[in-house]
Amino acid sequence: MKGDRVMKFAVLVFPGSNCDIDCYKAVESTIGQPVDYVWQTSTDLSAYDAILVPGGFSYGDYLRCGAIAQFAPVMGALKQAAEDGKYILGICNGFQILTEARLLPGALLRNKALKFRCHSAKLRVVNNETPFTRDYAENELIDIPIAHGEGNYYCDEATLKELQANRQIVFRYEAGNNPNGSVDDIAGICNRAGNVVGMMPHPERAVHELLGSADGKRMFTSILNAWRERSGAAVIGG
Amino acid sequence: MAQQLSAAKEPNAEQIAEQKLYKQMGVTDDEYARICGFLGRKPNYVEIGVFSVMWSEHCSYKNSKPVLRRFPTTGPRVLMGPGEGAGVVDIGDNQAVVFKIESHNHPSAIEPYQGAATGVGGIIRDIFSMGARPVALLNSLRFGRLENDRVRYLFEHVVSGIAGYGNCIGIPTVAGEVMFDESYEGNPLVNAMCVGLIDHDKIQKGVAKGVGNPVFYVGPATGRDGIHGATFASEELTAESEAKRPAVQVGDPFMEKLVMEACLELIDSGIVLGIQDMGAAGLTCSSAEMASKAGNGIELYLDRVPQREEGMTPYEMMLSESQERMLYVIRPEHEAQARAIFDRWGVICAKVGKVTDDGRLKLFHHGELVGDMPVGALVDECPVYNPASQEPAYYRENAAIDTLRYPEAANLTETLRRILASPTVASKEWVYNQYDSMVRTETFVRPGSDAAVVGVPGTRKALAMTTDCNGRYVYLDPAVGGRIAVSEAARNIVCSGALPLAVTDNLNFGSPEKPDIFWQLEQATEGMAEACRALETPVIGGNVSLYNENAKGAIYPTPVVGMVGLVEDVDHITTQGFKAEGDIVLLLGDTKAELGGSELQYVLHGVTEGRPPELDLAVERALQQAVLEAIRGGLVASAHDLSEGGLAVALAESCISGGGIGASVALETELRPDVALFSESQSRILLSARPDKADALQELLAARGVPCRAIGTVGGSELRITVNGKEGVRSDVAQLEKAWKEAIPCYMK
């Protein structure tokens, strides 16, 4: 990589996070960039180029998923990082935390069938022009697992129109196979600026054929390539 | 004041003796006399309470010890056998696998969500208290028929209790089994198994080492929940059991996650001398056992125990089974270091006692000695019973029944569809889709194959794991059924590409005080022990759950076998689904007219009768060794054990799991066609192989003396089976899949 600066990743850890290790391993195995666990009491994320908010049951999902995590000390630094244009990816409970913290619009409700669901899911890459999806083809169908009880994305009519108009819908469940009843089959969205993405499916669980799919790998290469391009470095193959 | 009031209500030692109050706690007159002998006086209320739980079947194995001694428990790979929280087996490179199964049947019958959830929580604590990182969960469940409202309620809430706990704590639930039979109505079985990984030098023991060292309590405050849970688990369920709902504990998986992370960090720091979880009989059992194993005593200062409610008495604190609690011993100089770890995780930690040299469990409350008992008497001196045993009449009656007495099944396609839609055989997707089976991203084979496969991080190795037991076979012939349970578990492990390592067993039986039930227990354990010896899979730990009875009688004897195997290289991982058009389908083993206890018999005629299938351990061993050799040699495309529903069901499952690919099979047989398709003869495996490998595979099997016949090819979208040239089964795989997948959701709508 011709002496390029490495991209530094942080994986936030709250009490009850349980996909933190998976996110850490995925960064290491897919793009080999340095990654640190950052405990929720930290108030400085300035050393990092990308921040992953992992899945799990932060604070036991007490009160409401993500509702307590939004008050953790690290959230101030996370909001600053979002404003600074750093890449932030919230997966599953991480997505719930990002909506509770208003870094993303809408909310995640209980699955329509009222049951936790864990299985492979087919996702449509709706917008492949975000820093998180540039290595996918537009409308590509990818296989990424889900594992959630509260993944039913909801927002009001006006917000949905905005999401659609601004191309903020990043992933949709394949038509007819929406596992949780989300509005407009939404599986993942980004903020207006495109540097914050939240999604219910777990790309970090689909990074190797042994896990049943390697389709999640390109999310990580996308982030690295977007960052390299922004900092004027050479991109890697998808 | 509240405390005085509450304590004032407790009977004194004289009243306990005169009114024989110990009987309510399950202590017999003889046992009471023995306790008085050990104490040299009459026990007070807290003392009799402590003795009653320590001497319950659940803690003392007083009725099952003689039969447990039959199991082989050692082997070249066994690092730790029964006795500690869980057994430990070497997997090479300084790593070991730790696993155990445990039942939560009685609590789940009364309060299914919390009963099942705390069963999961308890078994996880057994694993991490050994110092191991839990990496997978399994569960073995039995319910009555789904037509029954109460059964559906129990099934629904047991599954969501397991999901609620395992999902939140972040340990994948990767495998298990669910069977349905009216025998389990009112007394469901909920057995949870946990598997962990550890480095050899990190293995912990529950010992109170070092006289004068402090004893610490970790975890949430103690409440009045689960008092006498162990005693409750050691009696039959009756109409009054509902009133014992308060004996069921309440789980908090988030708290357990914090306790687990903090304890693993504490253990990793190297300062722990002894650690044990507070499971059955809570503070009582953990303190007494830790003292006993070290040959020491323990003093507890009960007013220092964190308490959830005001005015708790020593009796309540000692007998509470509040969840997510641990007890550990360190040197005094390490106290600050330990405290810092628990503070960071936000977990309560309190110094509640100290190790002594007098071999006694002494309980103090506000400076007053309220209980004083010899540790040895509590842990080792419970009388061991040799209950009467008698062969029941049903056993002989069944042996005389001709299982071919019913007319031949006319429409084989329809019969196959009906058996696929029988809840015991049907897809368990409705169950396992509620479990997070993938967290930790090491699950290489998810639920729905013969065994789950979980990777060993940082290596090419993986662990295969399964649970098995067909209670119908065990009922019809406990010795044969026991052999089958172990053999089938091992066969599942082998089919996934792994070498079977060891067994953890959960003996679910009726009341041992009934001679015919104790006979079942003796026979079944003897059969299991024979199979464990033959297949070189020692028993490294387990659990006994007796008194599984209700108004209608005892459950089918159900000794569940949990087994773990080692996949040497992830390239050996094999699954049951057919892989490619043109692959050759091979049937290994001999098919005989064996319908006793079969799914065919149950579904078509509503009976479980006759002799179960025979099982020859030498034949089984040869089969398993040859198949593993073939898999490791790269000759096998898919492997599937034949079990409930026999060959026809195995073929259908391999088609469905293969993504809906069909197969064309031609059988030549002297058996009746329905028997050939649905017999449940043992020691059979269905393989598929690429055409260019099939010859080498057949040669290898022939050389190893394993009967093998090429019976067809993979391809198309239909499953077609002819018997002696005549059409037997013909159906789109999609139709079969529909019947198989929709059966359970249809009941649960």
Side-chain angles (χ1 to χ4, degrees), chain B residues 479-491:
Chain B
V480 173
R483 281 207 289 275
I484 292 177
V486 174
S487 301
E488 198 191 328
R491 217 181 298 136

Side-chain angles (χ1 to χ4, degrees), chain B residues 448-477:
Chain B
S449 201
D450 280 354
V453 180
V454 174
V456 178
T459 73
R460 300 271 310 162
K461 291 185 280 196
L463 300 170
M465 49 195 80
T466 188
T467 64
D468 257 299
C469 180
N470 184 322
R472 291 178 196 149
Y473 300 160
V474 187
Y475 169 74
L476 294 175
D477 188 329

Side-chain angles (χ1 to χ4, degrees), chain B residues 172-476:
Chain B
T173 302
V174 297
E177 31 149 21
V178 195
M179 293 187 184
F180 303 88
D181 191 291
E182 49 267 57
S183 151
Y184 304 102
E185 208 164 297
N187 198 128
L189 300 185
V190 177
N191 294 180
M193 171 168 160
C194 184
V195 181
L197 281 169
I198 194 170
D199 291 339
H200 289 188
D201 52 333
K202 291 275 162 61
I203 298 170
Q204 302 296 312
K205 286 187 176 180
V207 287
K209 266 198 274 192
V211 173
N213 282 333
V215 176
F216 286 87
Y217 167 115
V218 175
T222 296
R224 289 188 167 105
D225 52 332
I227 290 177
H228 266 303
T231 314
F232 168 52
S234 304
E235 59 192 30
E236 292 172 31
L237 289 169
T238 63
E240 287 78 50
S241 297
E242 188 70 13
K244 295 197 173 158
R245 196 187 281 263
V248 179
Q249 313 84 332
V250 178
D252 179 353
F254 172 59
M255 178 54 75
E256 179 135 314
K257 165 87 175 159
L258 302 182
V259 171
M260 174 176 78
E261 296 299 343
C263 285
L264 287 174
E265 197 175 318
L266 182 78
I267 289 166
D268 213 38
S269 74
I271 62 175
V272 176
L273 298 175
I275 184 163
Q276 185 158 335
D277 79 301
M278 292 191 223
L283 198 48
T284 291
C285 192
S286 54
S287 56
E289 284 189 0
M290 285 182 81
S292 162
K293 277 184 259 179
N296 285 328
I298 279 188
E299 278 182 9
L300 291 175
Y301 316 114
L302 294 173
D303 34 294
R304 295 193 201 160
V305 170
Q307 292 156 55
R308 208 182 296 158
E309 298 169 66
E310 269 183 45
M312 288 189 66
T313 64
Y315 176 87
E316 289 168 334
M317 279 185 267
M318 289 307 288
L319 297 212
S320 163
E321 289 188 7
S322 289
Q323 297 290 291
E324 292 93 24
R325 302 176 304 160
M326 307 283 292
L327 208 61
Y328 71 90
V329 175
I330 53 172
R331 281 183 228 293
E333 60 267 30
H334 292 136
E335 189 177 335
Q337 193 185 341
R339 234 172 240 294
I341 292 171
F342 290 106
D343 284 350
R344 195 165 72 78
W345 286 100
V347 172
I348 298 175
C349 171
K351 186 156 62 176
V352 297
K354 106 178 158 202
V355 181
T356 62
D357 62 358
D358 61 5
R360 299 188 78 84
L361 177 63
K362 283 186 179 163
L363 310 175
F364 292 89
H365 197 222
H366 298 297
E368 191 188 330
L369 183 68
V370 295
D372 182 1
M373 296 151 278
V375 162
L378 287 170
V379 177
D380 300 317
E381 295 299 335
C382 172
V384 173
Y385 296 104
N386 252 317
S389 164
Q390 183 170 11
E391 183 186 289
Y394 84 80
Y395 173 66
R396 262 164 212 263
E397 286 160 21
N398 264 292
I401 291 174
D402 172 15
T403 57
L404 295 177
R405 65 181 171 151
Y406 295 98
E408 184 178 338
N411 184 335
L412 295 175
T413 303
E414 181 52 28
T415 305
L416 173 59
R417 216 174 282 147
R418 277 182 70 186
I419 292 178
L420 286 170
S422 159
T424 293
V425 170
S427 166
K428 304 302 183 298
E429 205 174 78
W430 184 89
V431 176
Y432 63 72
N433 275 355
Q434 296 184 54
Y435 304 149
D436 188 338
S437 54
M438 309 172 198
V439 62
R440 299 189 62 78
T441 53
E442 295 289 345
T443 309
F444 299 155
V445 178
R446 295 179 200 168
S449 201
D450 280 354
V453 180
V454 174
V456 178
T459 73
R460 300 271 310 162
K461 291 185 280 196
L463 300 170
M465 49 195 80
T466 188
T467 64
D468 257 299
C469 180
N470 184 322
R472 291 178 196 149
Y473 300 160
V474 187
Y475 169 74
L476 294 175

